[in-house]
Amino acid sequence: ADSIRTPYILTDNGDWEETIKKVGSFSIGPFNGTNDVITVTPSASMDFVAGNPWSWAGWYYPTNVSSYNWIFAQGNASSAMFAHGFGTKIYYGQSTYPNTIQKHTVAGELTLNAWNHIVITCNGDGISSDATTRENAYKVYVNATASTDESTDSNPQLTSGSAGGNPLRIGNRAAGSLGWNGYIDDTAMFNVAL
């Protein structure tokens, strides 16, 4: 969180503090779980396109896991990529309306009141016509350990789609009502599958 290389807007509806940090001199938070968000200005290099690879990485310190905790979201009603916590599970995936691939880890992946390093990757095969290929398109790592006991909530074939210049939201979703509870540090998005 010490430097953000893309223009961004930080929406803080409370008092941010810098006492809990993981990397560098400060982290961002606490996110209030409702409407705090970092909105990153859209750019062509960060535009999600279904069928292209992507990866997300960052340090997350949840202070409440009793509801949805959006880690990031980019997109609109017709095309999006996303990740959020619910309880101690991590849900992640992509959608091209009306189809959504959503997977989740087993319970216990997120540790409350501790730093968790999360990496989510997609190799771009979410639009494959083969169900097994779609199933294997996504991987999640928590604290450098691959989550091997994942579940697929839905596994339809995605169509080609783009976020179309929509901003990337860190710590919330576009609707702005299910935000992250806690702190975020050293977040990065990549246009390759790590």
Side-chain angles (χ1 to χ4, degrees):
D2 288 345
S3 66
I4 296 178
R5 297 180 183 144
T6 305
Y8 68 96
I9 299 167
L10 181 62
T11 303
D12 171 23
N13 294 291
D15 294 324
W16 293 78
E17 59 186 63
E18 299 177 3
T19 57
I20 297 177
K21 55 186 175 263
K22 181 64 179 174
V23 179
S25 59
F26 69 96
S27 65
I28 297 178
F31 283 77
N32 65 8
T34 306
N35 50 11
D36 287 346
V37 64
I38 301 169
T39 304
V40 181
T41 304
S43 72
S45 64
M46 290 179 55
D47 187 22
F48 154 69
V49 177
N52 286 355
W54 57 269
S55 297
W56 183 267
W59 287 96
Y60 297 87
Y61 189 104
T63 56
N64 183 332
V65 293
S66 63
S67 65
Y68 286 95
N69 284 289
W70 282 81
I71 296 169
F72 73 88
Q74 183 184 23
N76 53 37
S78 62
S79 188
M81 67 176 180
F82 61 88
H84 63 83
F86 188 80
T88 58
K89 296 179 183 179
I90 301 168
Y91 289 76
Y92 55 98
Q94 295 179 247
S95 66
T96 54
Y97 183 81
N99 297 320
T100 298
I101 292 179
Q102 176 172 280
K103 297 182 72 173
H104 65 80
T105 64
V106 296
E109 290 285 359
L110 283 177
T111 303
L112 185 64
N113 295 318
W115 284 107
N116 298 264
H117 189 253
I118 301 170
V119 177
I120 301 167
T121 70
C122 175
N123 66 14
D125 286 340
I127 63 172
S128 172
S129 61
D130 178 68
T132 301
T133 301
R134 289 194 306 273
E135 172 72 17
N136 294 324
Y138 304 89
K139 302 289 181 203
V140 63
Y141 302 86
V142 180
N143 298 322
T145 302
S147 180
T148 55
D149 191 9
E150 300 169 3
S151 172
T152 301
D153 296 324
S154 56
N155 191 15
Q157 181 179 0
L158 298 180
T159 58
S160 180
S162 170
N166 288 279
L168 172 66
R169 291 173 179 85
I170 302 171
N172 215 317
R173 62 184 185 148
S177 59
L178 297 171
W180 179 255
N181 282 281
Y183 299 84
I184 297 175
D185 204 348
D186 204 35
T187 292
M189 177 184 171
F190 305 91
N191 59 2
V192 296
L194 298 176

